Every structure is written in C-alpha cells, then in structure tokens.
Amino acid sequence: MFHKDLARRSFLKTGLLAAPVSSALVDPGMAKEKGRAAASGPSQPKLTLNVRDFGATGDGATKDTAAIQQTIDRCWVLGGGEALVPAGNYLTGAIALRSNTVLRLDKDAIIRGTPDFADYPVTQVRWEGKWIQGRLGLIYALDAAHIGVVGPGKIIGNSALSGRPNAQNPLRHPSLIEPIGCHDVRFEDFSTDYHVMWCLHATYCENVVFKNLTIRSTGGNADGIDIDSCRHVLIDGCDISTGDDCIAIKSGRGSEAYALLKTTEDVHIVNCTFADAIFACIGIGSETSGGIRNVRIEHCKFTHAQTYAIYIKSRPGRGAFIEDIVASDLDVAGTRGGFLRFNILNSGIQDQEPVPGDEGIPTIKNFRFSNIRVADCPILVDGTGIHPHKPLEGFSLVNVTGTCAKAISLANIKKAEIRNIKVTGYSGPLLSIVNVTGKGLEGATTIEPLKLPDPVPPPAKPYQLH
C-alpha cells in the first residue's frame, strides 16, 4: 500500500538499486552504460496468464477492471509473470501493477478508461509540484519493482475526466499511467491517447525506460511524459505529439519540495520526434525545488512548438538548482517562439510557501548545446531571463546552422562560449548581451537588462513539513 509518509522516504539510500534482474524486457547493452536506466520486468517470467481466462470480455461495454486486476494479482502471488491482454476493447477503471508483473497488450488490444471518477482510487499524488489528494492513473503502481507495460496495443483515457483541482473539486484528476515510488519500470511499444491530463507521469521512481511509444494528447492540455523527482530515466525512440509539453522534467515546488530534495537526475532523451500545440516540446522546470541535473538530449527532431523547442524555466522562490543540461544533434522546425529559452525569473505560479531570499533563486550551471539545425526559427536563443544574483555559470552554443528571424540574446552568464554560428535570414545583430563574459562575444551589441521580480520575503516562521 501507498502510505502517507511515502513523500518522506529517501529513494537515495545506498543499496536501494540492486543489480538489475535480467529478462526479455532488458536491452543487454543498456545496463552496461554507467548511470543509465536499466529497467527490467520479472526475472524469466514463470507464467503468462490471459485476462479472458479470469472473466474479461473485451466488448467495450462491460467493465473488465476486476478481471484484469485479478490476472495481475495472480501473476504477482505466483512469483511474477505476464498478464496478457488479447485483441479486444477492454473498458476498465484503474488497474494496479504489482511487483514482478508485466501487462502485455496484443496488437489489437485496447485498454479504455471508464468515465466514472469512482473507478480511480484516491491517495497522495503530485500536482504542479505539490503532494495533494488525487485520483490515481488508469494504470498505476505504488512501491512496486520490476514492472512494465508492453505493446503493441493501445491505452486510451476518457475525456469525461477533464478538469483541474479547485475549491469545489479539490482532487487531482487521473493521469493515464502513473508509477509512484517504483523502480525498474519499463513502458515499451504501445500507443496512448489522452488529452485531458498527463499521459505518463512517473514520480519518485528509479530506473525507468520509455521506449518506442506513440503518445498523442492533441486537442487538450495534456503533457506526454512527466518526469517528476525521478532518477536514471531513458526516453528512447518515442513519437510524441501533445497539447502541452511533450516532455516535462520537474522536481517539486516551494518549501515542501525544497525540504524533501528529491532530485530529478540522469535523464537521457534520444531518437525522439516532438510536436507541441500549447507550450514547449521539452520543458525543464518550472517546478525545480528538488533540483534537476544531468539531462542529455540528442538525435531528436522537433517539428512544432507553440513556444520553444527547449524551455528551461524556474523562478525565485523555488531554490535548489538546474545543472548539466546537454543537447546535441537536433533538428528544429515549426516553432512559434524559437529554439531555446531560459526563464529563471518568473515562470510558473509562485508557491504559497516559497523559499525566501537569494536562497530561493535557483542555481544554474553548465548548459551546453551543439550541432543544432534550425529552419525558419523566429528566435534562435532567448537567454535573457537569468537573475543577476545567480548568473548561469557555463553556457556553450556551438555549431548551429539554418535560418532564423532573430538570433541570440544573453544576460547574466559567466564562461559563455559562442562558436561556429552559421545562421542566415535574421535581422538585427547576431549576438546581443548584458553582463556576459566568455569566448566568442566579439562584436556583440549591448541590451538593457530585464526587470527583476520582487524579492521573496522570509516567512514569519521557518517552514516545516506538515
């Protein structure tokens, strides 16, 4: 069971990650790459159980929740295995994955969520960086290990579940797939359709693989994949077209998350294609109070973004850090804002209990971007939204080609390196700066600094978890 003190458990303890268990779900080369996600299913699954043998109908009208859950639970108590969902249309409420179990969807199998909120259990969940009461996902797992969902079937959420928490309805609405406090998790080779809430939301998890997924949430404001205070995550070969962020990387908001300090770290995004209709393709922040480090993005295509292909964001009051963000070999087209933006001044709503003073200004360092190809990009880089009290230490932009309407603006950066920028079509200067030091700044024009937000005052009493 998921206890109310899960948020206090430290998943950073030495020894939590035992040697990964080998299985047919593991890429043998993955475990050899130091620090990279190596999720696994059950070790040599002892059995495969068919959900139809436990009463599932797959007729699209009968609720098959109990039958599918019984199949998974039976696999679990017998030592682990696969719950097979054959061809059919399975209407179901929330389904819990158990340790050492895999839910396998045949090619023509559809898991379809019910429209009834009562079919989704309530517990503590993350919403906009805070732990609140909310409904669990259509497929969820709590404190489980060696779990997975594999395709090639489809998982479809119900649009009747739309809405945001408010005073009249304070419960967070269900996401589509949501592991919480889990390790060795694999989602592979299936497609999703859910446009009213997040599609895949992993919280407090370790060793998570998202591979060869087709994620669709257009027509609403749902993210594709949310990485929320997780470690060792691989997102590989995914095709994501969303209403809101394709991928959102975050770690909690305000003094609560700052006290917990559950860092999102070691995230590798590779060989993916992104299209976004509301915000950014990859959003890093604005919920950063647990810290974010070691994010690597490479060999990806960005085909549309309502704002920027990559948007790194936070604000005073978050505290913690964003560091070691590296991106290389990217193709960027169809952006309404541009390729890259930093906004560490005013992104996202302020927390009710923010981290005060300069301590609450996030520390940012080592952002590196190279081998970028842009087409008809409105702005190449807007890097002006950085607080002068905590400048960005270490920024490189190297080997950029293509066309843009406006080039590069930077503020409050130490140890910058701008090299081999071969873009055409822009008006105005190639490089505009204020309070920037480093290499490749010759010929830059000077710009006015942005207006700073008001300082966050100290609270009347020091914050305590409550």
Side-chain angles (χ1 to χ4, degrees):
M1 295 295 292
F2 179 67
H3 300 289
K4 64 182 179 180
D5 63 344
L6 173 61
R8 295 177 172 85
R9 298 179 186 174
S10 174
F11 65 87
L12 302 174
K13 291 182 180 178
T14 302
L16 176 62
L17 285 177
V21 179
S22 63
S23 82
L25 290 178
V26 177
D27 178 350
M30 191 183 305
K32 296 178 182 178
E33 188 177 354
K34 184 178 180 180
R36 196 58 53 208
S40 63
S43 57
Q44 298 301 319
K46 295 180 174 63
L47 75 168
T48 297
L49 301 179
N50 192 313
V51 298
R52 288 188 178 265
D53 293 336
F54 290 81
T57 65
D59 63 7
T62 305
K63 287 186 180 180
D64 288 322
T65 315
I68 296 173
Q69 190 64 65
Q70 186 181 1
T71 311
I72 293 170
D73 292 349
R74 186 69 178 166
C75 285
W76 173 49
V77 299
L78 295 180
E82 292 187 349
L84 174 65
V85 183
N89 190 352
Y90 298 83
L91 183 67
T92 177
I95 300 165
L97 300 176
R98 310 298 189 194
S99 290
N100 300 307
T101 64
V102 169
L103 184 67
R104 182 175 293 276
L105 310 178
D106 271 358
K107 177 178 179 295
D108 295 316
I110 297 174
I111 297 288
R112 188 181 299 273
T114 75
D116 303 321
F117 280 109
D119 291 336
Y120 302 84
V122 174
T123 188
Q124 288 282 302
V125 294
R126 266 271 178 93
W127 169 249
E128 293 188 338
K130 308 288 285 187
W131 285 103
I132 68 169
Q133 285 288 90
R135 298 191 182 276
L136 285 161
L138 174 60
I139 297 175
Y140 71 93
L142 305 174
D143 285 328
H146 309 301
I147 59 174
V149 178
V150 297
K154 190 169 188 176
I155 303 171
I156 301 175
N158 200 297
S159 60
L161 304 176
S162 64
R164 299 170 65 88
N166 54 52
Q168 291 72 39
N169 183 14
L171 295 178
R172 195 210 70 181
H173 293 202
S175 56
L176 192 66
I177 300 173
E178 188 165 38
I180 302 175
C182 299
H183 66 89
D184 294 323
V185 182
R186 193 172 191 102
F187 302 116
E188 183 171 355
D189 290 324
F190 60 88
S191 60
T192 70
D193 186 345
Y194 191 43
H195 65 271
V196 298
M197 212 353 219
W198 304 324
C199 291
L200 294 103
H201 180 214
T203 310
Y204 279 27
C205 292
E206 293 200 26
N207 282 7
V208 186
V209 172
F210 304 88
K211 190 170 184 178
N212 299 335
L213 302 180
T214 300
I215 298 171
R216 296 292 182 265
S217 69
T218 53
N221 63 343
D223 294 343
I225 298 174
D226 285 60
I227 306 302
D228 202 343
S229 292
C230 295
R231 303 175 68 217
H232 312 315
V233 177
L234 174 65
I235 303 173
D236 183 4
C238 295
D239 181 342
I240 308 176
S241 181
T242 57
D244 213 331
D245 296 337
C246 295
I247 296 175
I249 298 172
K250 48 198 178 181
S251 62
R253 191 187 84 205
S255 292
E256 176 183 276
Y258 187 64
L260 293 168
L261 201 63
K262 302 297 188 184
T263 300
T264 285
E265 58 185 317
D266 188 22
V267 178
H268 188 195
I269 302 167
V270 62
N271 300 322
C272 293
T273 300
F274 303 113
D276 156 80
I278 292 181
F279 201 72
C281 290
I282 297 178
I284 301 175
S286 63
E287 299 156 19
T288 59
S289 297
I292 295 171
R293 66 159 64 98
N294 297 338
V295 177
R296 182 153 54 104
I297 307 160
E298 55 189 352
H299 317 313
C300 291
K301 294 182 179 180
F302 301 77
T303 63
H304 187 273
Q306 188 65 21
T307 62
Y308 288 78
I310 300 174
Y311 199 129
I312 301 174
K313 48 187 177 165
S314 193
R315 68 180 302 146
R318 298 285 194 261
F321 52 86
I322 309 171
E323 60 188 30
D324 299 324
I325 311 298
V326 179
S328 181
D329 189 23
L330 309 181
D331 289 285
V332 179
T335 62
R336 296 286 185 90
F339 162 55
L340 174 65
R341 185 181 179 191
F342 308 145
N343 180 5
I344 316 298
L345 295 180
N346 56 15
S347 180
I349 59 176
Q350 186 59 281
D351 193 72
Q352 300 93 329
E353 297 171 300
V355 182
D358 279 1
E359 184 180 5
I361 302 171
T363 299
I364 54 175
K365 66 180 181 179
N366 192 25
F367 296 174
R368 294 185 284 134
F369 300 86
S370 62
N371 304 317
I372 312 299
R373 297 166 294 275
V374 299
D376 300 326
C377 186
I379 298 174
L380 185 58
V381 177
D382 178 355
T384 59
I386 296 172
H387 204 293
H389 291 189
K390 290 190 177 179
L392 169 58
E393 183 154 352
F395 168 69
S396 64
L397 183 69
V398 178
N399 297 338
V400 181
T401 60
T403 56
C404 62
K406 184 179 178 182
I408 305 164
S409 300
L410 305 175
N412 304 315
I413 297 175
K414 298 179 180 180
K415 299 179 182 178
E417 180 185 11
I418 310 299
R419 179 164 49 88
N420 201 23
I421 311 300
K422 297 181 178 180
V423 291
T424 61
Y426 60 90
S427 60
L430 175 65
L431 179 61
S432 302
I433 63 174
V434 59
N435 192 29
V436 178
T437 61
K439 300 177 181 179
L441 308 179
E442 298 81 7
T445 62
T446 301
I447 55 176
E448 292 294 320
L450 296 180
K451 184 180 183 299
L452 298 181
D454 293 333
V456 176
K461 295 182 179 179
Y463 176 81
Q464 290 186 331
L465 290 171
H466 57 274

